[in-house]
Amino acid sequence: MISREVTINNQVGLHARPATFFIQKANEFKSVIWVEKDDRRVNAKSLLGVLSLGIVKGTTISIIADGADEEQAVETLAELIDREFAE
């Protein structure tokens, strides 16, 4: 199991469209992936779960993965956030 902290810097945070991109990317991996904010941890492959965290610009979250491709999963999702969800 590995984790990495990242800060959300895009204008709208992790809502609607950016959250959809994030979840689609998370679903490409076999590992179990969570997003953690404060003391709440949700499934990174669940739109409702991610949206329920209310992640806005400037929020620091942890991406946690456990499984065969955990390192690649965390790295890819962190890069997506660092690029502000641009392809």
Side-chain angles (χ1 to χ4, degrees):
M1 180 182 301
I2 65 166
S3 68
R4 180 168 164 190
E5 285 193 352
V6 292
T7 301
I8 307 298
N9 290 314
N10 64 311
Q11 281 303 117
V12 297
L14 200 52
H15 293 282
R17 194 169 183 204
T20 300
F21 288 145
F22 184 85
I23 290 152
Q24 287 172 342
K25 191 59 75 176
N27 275 297
E28 293 178 8
F29 298 97
K30 293 178 181 175
S31 294
V32 177
I33 307 169
W34 298 277
V35 175
E36 191 171 77
K37 176 188 164 201
D38 301 324
D39 291 332
R40 290 195 53 214
R41 182 183 285 189
V42 300
N43 182 345
K45 299 178 182 182
S46 164
L47 181 60
L48 289 177
V50 172
L51 291 177
S52 75
L53 293 177
I55 299 168
V56 296
K57 182 177 180 173
T59 302
T60 298
I61 62 170
S62 294
I63 301 170
I64 305 157
D66 188 20
D69 54 2
E70 62 189 25
E71 290 181 32
Q72 185 182 2
V74 169
E75 184 64 30
T76 299
L77 293 171
E79 285 178 10
L80 182 66
I81 290 170
D82 289 344
R83 290 191 322 265
E84 298 183 11
F85 304 93
E87 289 296 323

